Every structure is written in C-alpha cells, then in structure tokens.
Amino acid sequence: MKTVLLDAEEKQVDNHQVQVWLIKLKDALYDAEDVLDDFESETHRRRVLKLYGTTIKKTYLLILDDVWNDNPMKWDPSKELFCTGANGSKIMVTTRSKKVASIMGTISTPHELSGLPYDECAALFTKSAFKEGQEKHYPNLLRIGNEIVKKCKGIPLVVKTLASLLLTNTDESYWKSIRDNEL
C-alpha cells in the first residue's frame, strides 16, 4: 500500500480526483497504522499482566532511551505497568522533547544534559580520528578537525561518528567535505 502511494506521489499525478483519492488513502493508511500500534501496545500490556499479574515483586530499572512519542493516550496503558514494581524500582526516560518530558511528569524539573566542553570534544575527536600519535603528522587535518568539532555542539556521539568516518582517510578534501556538510 505504501509503495503504491509513494509511486503515485513520485509521479506527481495531475488529476485532481486522483490527488484527493490519494490524500484520503494516505489518511486511511495512517489511521490503520495507529490502530495496529494500539493493538500491539494492548497485546503487550496483556502479555505482561498475564506473566506477572498486577504486581511485579522484583525491583527493576527500566530505561526508555530517546523517546519521541508525545501522545499522552499512547502512554496511559503503559503507566499501569510501570507502577507495578517492588519498592525501589526506577524508570529513566531520555528525550530531547520537553513535551515528552512533561507527559512523563514524574519530576518537576527534568534534568537537561549539556554538551561536552570543546576541549573534551576535541580530545575525543583526535583520539577517534587518528591512530595514536599520528595527529602530529597531519596539522592541516587537525585544524580541519577542530572546525568539525565546533559544528558537533558538544554531542559526543556526533563527534565520535564523524571522527570514525575520517579515521582511515588522510585526504584533506574529504575532511573538508565533512566539515562543510550540514549536520
């Protein structure tokens, strides 16, 4: 179904009736996906309740990393499960969305992580982009690397990912292309 929609969109159909039909079809497809997601969530919830009952007698740590779903209705069924652990159980949610953080609503002020300081990012980049001691042989690449680090805005994953792309390549124009690309 998605393939048909994408194919029709790529061909940019000019017929107005076909365009209206495609819009309705796309809406129906998204509605069907939402229903399937709801069904899957409910099925999972029932499976957990069947396995553990309404209370889990063990302490647990649940980490939900990089959460983006900001629909409170999707979280309501899960909240019942999250409250069933033994005393001392913890749930940690990471998100870049303030709306998601407010939906979770368990603490009044979420802890916002800041990026690494520039010097730490530069050290991480150098360690990841050069074999040990090799940076001394490539001062131009080191200078370009420092410019790349500035674009990473203190995010270690970005620093490490870009540096790993450059590790085996000493072509200055390649390094410049990484520096000049939008992140």
Side-chain angles (χ1 to χ4, degrees):
M1 181 74 81
K2 281 185 180 179
T3 309
V4 172
L5 285 170
L6 290 174
D7 186 48
E9 285 178 347
E10 282 178 16
K11 292 180 181 171
Q12 295 183 348
V13 177
D14 291 331
N15 185 322
H16 179 70
Q17 288 178 327
V18 173
Q19 287 178 338
V20 170
W21 178 77
L22 283 172
I23 290 169
K24 288 180 180 180
L25 186 60
K26 190 187 293 186
D27 288 344
L29 178 64
Y30 289 143
D31 289 345
E33 283 180 343
D34 287 346
V35 167
L36 289 173
D37 286 347
D38 291 346
F39 179 75
E40 189 177 304
S41 294
E42 180 61 20
T43 302
H44 178 69
R45 186 185 75 78
R46 287 183 182 178
R47 193 176 313 131
V48 169
L49 286 174
K50 184 177 177 183
L51 284 171
Y52 300 106
T54 56
T55 58
I56 299 171
K57 302 209 182 342
K58 294 186 178 199
T59 303
Y60 63 83
L61 169 63
L62 175 63
I63 300 173
L64 303 173
D65 186 34
D66 202 20
V67 175
W68 281 99
N69 187 326
D70 62 1
N71 181 347
M73 299 302 287
K74 298 268 184 184
W75 287 105
D76 285 345
S78 302
K79 284 183 181 178
E80 177 185 341
L81 294 174
F82 293 157
C83 297
T84 61
N87 202 10
S89 295
K90 301 288 181 205
I91 300 168
M92 181 170 75
V93 178
T94 68
T95 183
R96 288 173 262 172
S97 164
K98 290 185 183 214
K99 185 174 181 183
V100 170
S102 70
I103 289 170
M104 297 300 152
T106 55
I107 57 174
S108 58
T109 54
H111 180 70
E112 291 191 35
L113 297 177
S114 58
L116 288 178
Y118 173 80
D119 57 332
E120 289 181 33
C121 281
L124 177 62
F125 183 88
T126 302
K127 180 180 176 185
S128 303
F130 296 98
K131 293 181 180 157
E132 192 171 333
Q134 291 297 307
E135 68 274 8
K136 296 172 195 150
H137 302 293
Y138 301 100
N140 286 346
L141 295 183
L142 197 54
R143 185 180 36 70
I144 296 167
N146 287 331
E147 294 172 24
I148 293 170
V149 168
K150 289 176 188 168
K151 291 180 71 173
C152 295
K153 297 180 181 173
I155 303 171
L157 181 60
V158 176
V159 171
K160 199 144 170 81
T161 301
L162 292 178
S164 68
L165 287 173
L166 300 168
L167 177 61
T168 59
N169 194 325
T170 56
D171 177 27
E172 199 170 307
S173 63
Y174 182 68
W175 280 58
K176 286 179 179 178
S177 73
I178 298 293
R179 176 197 65 197
D180 296 339
N181 270 331
E182 290 296 317
L183 295 179

